[in-house]
Amino acid sequence: QDCRLPFIGGSFFDHEGQPYCETHYHLKRGSLCAGCHKPISGRCITAMFRKFHPEHFVCAFCLKQLNKGTFKEQNDKPYCHTCFDKLFG
């Protein structure tokens, strides 16, 4: 429906009665990772009004993996407490 590319093997995803490729299906459903922009099919972390694969929810400075409740946000980016204090404290 969105990218107009042919479906490989004839398979497609249905969303509200329209055919979509996997990427656009997950985009419409809000289940693309904000870190890697690929579909999330297993566990995910929801933070800052976005969804992430757990391994892609990382500090914007040191890239250490974060947990939902153990980060601080600045300019719409997540930071671990250590980096946040160094940069903004």
Side-chain angles (χ1 to χ4, degrees):
Q1 181 67 26
D2 285 355
C3 61
R4 304 285 186 203
L5 295 175
F7 297 114
I8 298 170
S11 297
F12 62 89
F13 292 80
D14 180 286
H15 180 68
E16 297 180 350
Q18 297 295 316
Y20 291 94
C21 65
E22 184 177 23
T23 299
H24 285 107
Y25 170 80
H26 285 282
L27 179 64
K28 294 280 186 194
R29 297 194 28 102
S31 54
L32 283 182
C33 175
C36 70
H37 308 288
K38 293 190 177 167
I40 299 172
S41 59
R43 292 186 55 230
C44 79
I45 291 178
T46 301
M48 303 182 325
F49 306 104
R50 294 179 280 177
K51 293 181 181 177
F52 298 84
H53 290 111
E55 63 272 18
H56 295 145
F57 186 54
V58 297
C59 174
F61 189 73
C62 72
L63 304 179
K64 175 183 153 191
Q65 189 172 338
L66 301 169
N67 294 313
K68 185 176 179 181
T70 61
F71 74 98
K72 293 190 174 188
E73 183 180 349
Q74 180 74 24
N75 298 324
D76 203 32
K77 295 180 182 176
Y79 294 90
C80 67
H81 288 268
T82 302
C83 289
F84 185 88
D85 291 343
K86 280 184 201 176
L87 297 168
F88 310 107

